[in-house]
């Protein structure tokens, strides 16, 4: 059986073009080369991410002498005492402060962001696109450009170094991305379901909470994970807004601030394992959250394009 012939464009006048046969084996070899290259790149990327994390965790079980002697050596004594020392030196309080802020800021961000995105995606009114682009512009605005007016605004509200002040700022900081993400997701939901709910006499509020919001669950999980990661790792906002204002004002540092404080407290004590243990404690919850919901995150990111 003769090999399939690849079709070519008509040759210009006065010039002949030879038809080159393309064998199925050639296409398979090209695909294999592409797969090897892509898988090799992904393996290299995984190593660049996993190895620093593994080195960080292993360094928590070492002593100062082992870290100074061989940074890449294996720990000799596997004990959890260093984690209890890090917890007692303030990591426990910083961890609790961070959890208190995120327990309120993330759900409220999801609620207000979803409501705004739903209205902008499903209802047509004058100024709709202007409001949408206003949110999109907020996502592109670097937060450090607004630190000075933000500081004086929170100070005027008497909310510096308070949980509620940081919660409100986190909500405002995360709203643009939440609205942008959920707006695209709500536009992909079937209109027939919305119209059926309206014909059945459901109010706008009931249609949103009982019909449309459950259908947007994959998108909510995805953007919720991103907001949790972003607010958990936020440093510049709590550094500006969560500083004691007087000698009687208690310290309400979050984890990112607490790790800097822990590093400064070391001074010449050189208790590096405690610092590594503190970073590990701050890192593990986010790894657990992302690994637990990675499939939901992928489903939320791809569902908008598949529908």
């Amino acid at each position: 059986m003769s090999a399939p012939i690849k079709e070519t464009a008509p040759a210009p006048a006065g010039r002949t073009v030879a038809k080159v046969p393309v064998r199925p084996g050639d296409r398979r070899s090209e695909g294999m080369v592409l797969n090897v290259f892509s898988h090799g790149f992904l393996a290299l990327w995984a190593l660049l991410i996993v190895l620093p994390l593994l080195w960080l965790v292993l360094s928590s079980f070492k002593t100062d002498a082992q870290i100074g002697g061989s940074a890449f050596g294996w720990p000799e004594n596997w004990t959890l005492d260093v984690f209890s020392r890090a917890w007692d030196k303030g990591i426990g309080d910083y961890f609790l402060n961070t959890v208190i802020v995120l327990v309120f800021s993330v759900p409220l961000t999801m609620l207000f962001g979803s409501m705004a995105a739903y209205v902008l995606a499903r209802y047509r009114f004058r100024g709709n696109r202007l409001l949408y682009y206003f949110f999109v512009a907020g996502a592109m605005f670097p937060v450090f450009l607004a630190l000075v007016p933000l500081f004086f605004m929170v100070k005027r509200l008497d909310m510096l170094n308070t949980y509620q002040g940081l919660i409100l700022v986190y909500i405002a900081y995360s709203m643009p991305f939440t609205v942008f993400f959920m707006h695209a997701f709500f536009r992909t939901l079937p209109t027939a379901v919305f119209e059926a709910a309206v014909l059945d006499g459901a109010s706008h509020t009931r249609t949103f909470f009982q019909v449309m919001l459950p259908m947007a669950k994959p998108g909510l999980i995805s953007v919720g994970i991103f907001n949790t990661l972003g607010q958990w790792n936020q440093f510049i906002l709590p550094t500006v807004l969560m500083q004691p204002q007087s000698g009687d004002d208690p310290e309400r540092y979050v984890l990112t601030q607490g790790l800097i404080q822990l590093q400064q407290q070391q001074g010449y004590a050189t208790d590096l394992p405690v610092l590594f243990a503190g970073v590990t404690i701050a890192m593990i919850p986010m790894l657990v959250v992302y690994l637990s919901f990675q499939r939901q995150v992928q489903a939320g990111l791809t569902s908008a394009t598949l529908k």
Side-chain angles (χ1 to χ4, degrees):
M1 183 179 295
S2 59
I5 305 301
K6 180 179 179 181
E7 296 182 359
T8 58
R15 183 182 301 178
T16 59
V17 178
K19 295 182 179 180
V20 180
V22 178
R23 302 180 182 277
D26 297 338
R27 295 179 179 177
R28 289 197 212 99
S29 60
E30 292 178 359
M32 291 178 61
V33 172
L34 182 60
N35 288 335
V36 170
F37 176 78
S38 60
H39 285 75
F41 178 79
L42 291 176
L44 178 62
W45 184 263
L47 288 176
L48 293 176
I49 295 175
V50 173
L51 288 181
L53 298 180
L54 182 62
W55 174 81
L56 177 66
V57 175
L58 291 178
S59 298
S60 303
F61 295 94
K62 298 179 182 180
T63 62
D64 289 315
Q66 291 176 348
I67 295 176
S70 177
F72 300 99
W74 201 257
E76 296 179 0
N77 298 320
W78 297 85
T79 176
L80 299 177
D81 178 67
V82 65
F83 291 94
S84 63
R85 297 205 320 266
W87 191 268
D88 294 337
K89 286 189 176 182
I91 291 297
D93 296 333
Y94 307 145
F95 190 94
L96 179 61
N97 292 337
T98 306
V99 171
I100 291 175
V101 172
L102 263 67
V103 162
F104 292 96
S105 63
V106 173
L108 290 176
T109 300
M110 303 305 302
L111 175 63
F112 297 147
S114 298
M115 293 172 66
Y118 172 74
V119 172
L120 293 174
R122 287 292 177 178
Y123 295 93
R124 292 290 175 263
F125 54 90
R126 182 175 298 179
N128 181 296
R129 302 309 295 172
L130 180 63
L131 287 175
Y132 173 71
Y133 290 128
F134 177 77
F135 281 109
V136 174
M140 302 177 183
F141 190 80
V143 65
F144 59 84
L145 294 180
L147 287 179
V148 174
L150 180 63
F151 174 83
F152 287 106
M153 182 182 298
V154 177
K155 183 178 180 180
R156 181 170 296 181
L157 296 174
D158 198 20
M159 288 186 178
L160 288 176
N161 198 31
T162 60
Y163 294 129
Q164 58 269 27
L166 189 60
I167 290 170
L168 291 177
V169 172
Y170 274 0
I171 294 173
Y173 169 76
S174 304
M175 277 286 288
F177 173 74
T178 304
V179 172
F180 173 75
F181 188 95
M182 293 305 301
H183 178 272
F185 200 90
F186 277 122
R187 288 179 64 89
T188 63
L189 297 181
T191 307
V193 178
F194 170 78
E195 295 175 348
V198 174
L199 292 176
D200 288 340
S203 62
H204 296 295
T205 304
R206 187 175 181 181
T207 301
F208 172 71
F209 283 103
Q210 295 187 1
V211 179
M212 306 304 291
L213 198 61
M215 295 176 62
K217 182 180 178 181
L220 287 172
I221 294 177
S222 299
V223 74
I225 295 298
F226 290 138
N227 284 331
T228 302
L229 293 173
Q231 295 179 14
W232 184 275
N233 297 321
Q234 180 60 238
F235 173 73
I236 189 169
L237 288 177
T239 299
V240 174
L241 303 176
M242 297 295 283
Q243 296 291 342
Q245 303 302 304
S246 63
D248 299 332
D249 201 6
E251 293 182 353
R252 295 189 177 94
Y253 294 147
V254 297
L255 267 175
T256 50
Q257 292 175 281
L259 291 175
I260 299 298
Q261 293 295 320
L262 186 62
Q263 182 184 13
Q264 294 176 353
Q265 290 173 6
Q266 300 304 313
Y268 294 97
T270 64
D271 195 0
L272 292 179
V274 170
L275 182 59
F276 285 124
V279 177
T280 302
I281 293 174
M283 174 185 66
I284 287 178
M286 293 301 99
L287 289 178
V288 172
V289 168
Y290 182 77
L291 293 177
S292 301
F293 295 97
Q294 60 174 337
R295 292 187 178 180
Q296 288 82 353
V297 172
Q298 295 174 0
L301 293 175
T302 58
S303 59
T305 58
L306 294 177
K307 290 184 179 180

